[in-house]
Amino acid sequence: QLQLVESGGGLVQPGGSLRLSCAASGHSSDYYSIGWFRQAPGKEREGVSCISSSGRTTIYADSVKGRFTISRDTAKNTVFLQMNSLKPEDTAVYYCAAVRVKGMCVSEKGQYVYWGQGTQVTVSS
């Protein structure tokens, strides 16, 4: 069983930055694709980014391309989401998720098996 814990959310002004962390425990996350998703009030959960088990493949939603960067530190069993140039429309609860698959970056949320509890990101002046 893989456990995921997100951290790093908070309140930030438009144009600011945050770095979210997704710490895995219970298993090594080396064999898992990790995805970041977000859900704003009254909206469906949407994909933000994913990274393959090797870290060589990443995918970003069009809405965050050029502003967000996903990365993973295998030694720390942690995946990061660096978020720059934040906008009010980025406000949401951010979740990380994992699925055991090698060599692929899984973008479809329905394929993910393990989920964290979420961390709130609020972008407001």
Side-chain angles (χ1 to χ4, degrees):
Q1 188 87 2
L2 189 72
Q3 290 86 43
L4 303 173
V5 177
E6 303 96 334
S7 62
L11 173 64
V12 64
Q13 292 188 342
S17 298
L18 284 174
R19 188 173 83 152
L20 304 184
S21 298
C22 173
S25 62
H27 277 291
S28 168
S29 62
D30 289 1
Y31 300 105
Y32 291 80
S33 172
I34 305 292
W36 282 99
F37 297 82
R38 66 186 182 186
Q39 188 166 19
K43 294 190 176 181
E44 296 240 344
R45 191 170 298 189
E46 64 175 2
V48 174
S49 183
C50 64
I51 188 166
S52 63
S53 57
S54 66
R56 286 194 286 267
T57 302
T58 58
I59 296 176
Y60 296 93
D62 287 343
S63 58
V64 306
K65 276 181 185 174
R67 300 188 298 122
F68 291 11
T69 303
I70 192 170
S71 62
R72 66 193 304 160
D73 184 333
T74 55
K76 296 182 178 178
N77 225 16
T78 301
V79 171
F80 302 100
L81 186 68
Q82 178 67 42
M83 307 188 296
N84 299 328
S85 303
L86 282 161
K87 305 175 181 179
E89 50 263 43
D90 294 318
T91 295
V93 178
Y94 283 70
Y95 301 88
C96 66
V99 59
R100 187 180 175 96
V101 61
K102 287 194 72 175
M104 290 177 58
C105 183
V106 178
S107 58
E108 173 55 48
K109 65 179 181 288
Q111 297 188 47
Y112 281 88
V113 176
Y114 303 101
W115 290 83
Q117 83 290 347
T119 184
Q120 176 71 46
V121 171
T122 303
V123 185
S124 174
S125 55

